[in-house]
Amino acid sequence: MTSIESARAYLIDLPVKTPRHDAIQSFVKQETILVELVTTDGLLGIGYSYTIGNGGSAVLAMLQEHLLPQLIGHDATEIEAIWRMLWASTLATTVGAITSLALAAVDTALWDLRCLRADEPLWIQAGGARPRVRLYDTEGGWLQLPVDELVRNAKASRDAGWRGIKIKVGKPSVAEDVARIAAVRDAIGDEIDLMVDANQAFSRSEAIRRAAAFGPYDLRWFEEPMRADDVVGHQMLRESTSIPVAVGESMYSVGQFGDYLARGAATIVQVDVARVGGITPWLKVAHAAEVANVEVCPHFLMELHVSLAAAVPNAPYVEHIPQLDLITSSRLRIEEGAAVAPNRPGLGIDWDLSMISSLASCAGSGVSREIREVDPVVQ
Ligand code: MG
C-alpha cells in the first residue's frame, strides 16, 4: 500500500498570453490551482485545475479546508475509490463547478502518481490509442480581432501545417459573422477544417438562424451555440442543420454528457478534464461518446488533453491555446500539424518548480496566493 502522507494546494495567477475575448466573456488570467501529493514510498504527484479569471480562491478553499485532509492515509492507487469518497463528501455543493474543479486537481495528481509508479506516460496508462493527434488553432481567431488579422492568423496556421482553425462568432449582426467566416474560408481553401464558436451566446431561434447562414462554408463544427444546460435546444438545432454541433466545455458532470448523448443533441463532445472533475470522469465521457459514435474534441488545456486524446480512439483533435509556458519547461511537441503525446512517465508536464515557488511566494503582488500545508490526519 502506498499511502498519501502529505498534501498541499496553492494558486498561481498566470497572465494570458494574448488578449482573448469571445461573445460573452474575456479570458483575463488563468487561475492555476495546483495540488501536490506525497506518498509513503517517496513519490510526488502534481495535479492541477484552472479558471479563466475568478472563482479560483473558492476552489483553493474547498481543497484546503475540506478535500485534502480526507486524503491523508489513503492508498493513492485507489483512484476511483478516492474520487467517490470526495464526491460523496461534497454532495451539498454538487453538481457544481467549484467542487468539480477541486476534484480535478486531486484526481490529476493521483493519475500523475499512478503513471510515475508504473513508469509509463499518461497516454499509455489511460488507454494508448495512438501517439499523435491533429491540432487545431484557436489562438488566432478571437472575437475582438479584425477580419484582416483573422485572415493573417489563419494563413499562418495553415502554412504551419495545421489541419484546423477555429474562429469566434457572436457579432451583433449575422452579416458580420458571415463576412468573417467567408474571409477565412476563402483564405485557407477547402482542405482545412474551419470551426466556429459562439460561447453560448444565442437563443434557440438565433442559433438556428445563424447555423442556416453559416451553411455554405463547410464548417467542421458549430460550438456552444447556446446555453449549455439547454439540451432540448441543442437537439432542435441538430435536427435543423447539417453542421455538427459541439458542446461540453461548460459541463461539470458525467451525467450532463449522458443527457446530451441520450438525446443525440451533440455530435461532438468537448469534455474539459478540469471542469468535469479530472481524468477519471473524462475517460468515462470519452468512452460513452465512443459507444454512441460521437467524437471527443477536448476544450483547452492542451498540455494535458494531448495525452488523453491520444489515449482514446475517438478524439480527432486537440485545441491549441498555450497557457502554461511561464511555469513549465516542457512544450507541446508539434509534428506535421499533429500534437505528439509526451512519452515520459507521469502526466507529461515538466513543472518549473522554482518559478512556481517564486510566483507563489510573492504575496501581495497579484500573482500569488498563500501556500498552506494540510495537517496530516491519521485515519
Ligand atoms: Mg469554446
Side-chain angles (χ1 to χ4, degrees):
M1 177 163 153
T2 53
S3 300
I4 299 168
E5 64 176 12
S6 70
R8 67 173 188 160
Y10 45 94
L11 190 156
I12 296 169
D13 289 345
L14 299 178
V16 292
K17 293 198 72 171
T18 186
R20 298 169 179 153
H21 304 287
D22 62 43
I24 63 166
Q25 66 201 335
S26 298
F27 186 158
V28 295
K29 62 182 176 182
Q30 178 174 296
E31 295 181 310
T32 308
I33 304 106
L34 291 112
V35 162
E36 295 183 6
L37 302 178
V38 176
T39 55
T40 48
D41 58 350
L43 288 180
L44 166 64
I46 301 177
Y48 73 112
S49 193
Y50 78 99
T51 82
I52 64 166
N54 56 65
S57 57
V59 177
L60 186 66
M62 173 67 85
L63 285 161
Q64 291 178 329
E65 294 171 13
H66 192 71
L67 300 186
L68 297 191
Q70 298 183 62
L71 297 176
I72 307 303
H74 269 275
D75 186 341
T77 63
E78 296 178 353
I79 297 178
E80 183 77 40
I82 290 174
W83 200 97
R84 297 254 146 218
M85 174 186 74
L86 298 181
W87 176 259
S89 75
T90 56
L91 286 179
T93 56
T94 55
V95 171
I98 302 302
T99 297
S100 289
L101 291 166
L103 281 169
V106 174
D107 186 79
T108 50
L110 291 170
W111 273 87
D112 193 29
L113 286 169
R114 174 179 173 163
C115 297
L116 291 171
R117 186 167 292 107
D119 199 28
E120 286 188 343
L122 176 60
W123 81 274
I124 291 291
Q125 276 285 303
R130 67 275 195 260
R132 294 172 169 212
V133 183
R134 283 183 297 172
L135 202 61
Y136 77 89
D137 191 35
T138 294
E139 195 74 325
W142 300 101
L143 196 63
Q144 82 278 2
L145 299 175
V147 174
D148 59 347
E149 199 169 339
L150 277 186
V151 167
R152 193 161 55 245
N153 293 340
K155 284 181 174 175
S157 298
R158 178 201 60 189
D159 294 345
W162 298 15
R163 303 303 306 277
I165 291 155
K166 188 165 81 184
I167 65 171
K168 299 293 182 178
V169 293
K171 288 290 189 184
S173 74
V174 179
E176 198 172 356
D177 271 352
V178 168
R180 295 163 66 85
I181 294 169
V184 172
R185 173 53 84 198
D186 184 57
I188 62 176
D190 297 333
E191 299 299 315
I192 306 293
D193 283 338
L194 178 59
M195 306 81 158
V196 299
D197 183 0
N199 292 91
Q200 309 182 77
F202 301 134
S203 64
R204 291 179 181 179
S205 59
E206 187 64 14
I208 291 170
R209 177 172 172 245
R210 299 240 178 179
F214 301 163
Y217 302 99
D218 188 26
L219 298 182
R220 180 65 168 80
W221 69 67
F222 186 5
E223 177 173 326
E224 285 204 313
M226 59 197 111
R227 265 186 6 229
D229 61 0
D230 187 3
V231 185
V232 173
H234 284 79
Q235 188 178 5
M236 293 168 65
L237 175 64
R238 279 266 296 114
E239 290 165 359
S240 77
T241 180
S242 62
I243 303 174
V245 175
V247 288
E249 72 176 73
S250 305
M251 286 151 60
Y252 294 88
S253 76
V254 293
Q256 290 171 310
F257 287 94
D259 289 343
Y260 269 91
L261 293 172
R263 288 180 175 272
T267 35
I268 294 162
V269 291
Q270 299 181 294
V271 57
D272 177 315
V273 63
R275 292 177 173 180
V276 82
I279 293 169
T280 302
W282 191 98
L283 289 170
K284 293 175 183 177
V285 172
H287 296 324
E290 182 192 358
V291 170
N293 201 15
V294 165
E295 294 176 323
V296 176
C297 297
H299 166 251
F300 189 43
L301 290 185
M302 64 180 196
E303 297 86 353
L304 194 47
H305 281 138
V306 61
S307 296
L308 295 179
V312 301
N314 55 322
Y317 268 119
V318 168
E319 180 173 25
H320 179 259
I321 307 179
Q323 183 58 47
L324 288 183
D325 289 357
L326 186 61
I327 56 170
T328 56
S329 56
S330 48
R331 295 290 178 268
L332 184 70
R333 202 167 126 210
I334 302 171
E335 291 179 357
E336 299 175 348
V340 181
N343 234 350
R344 55 196 175 280
L347 298 185
I349 300 170
D350 296 334
W351 300 103
D352 183 342
L353 295 178
S354 63
M355 176 59 80
I356 289 173
S357 180
S358 70
L359 290 173
S361 63
C362 296
S365 69
V367 295
S368 68
R369 305 288 169 86
E370 67 174 324
I371 295 179
R372 191 168 116 196
E373 295 275 357
V374 173
D375 296 332
V377 177
V378 178
Q379 297 186 353

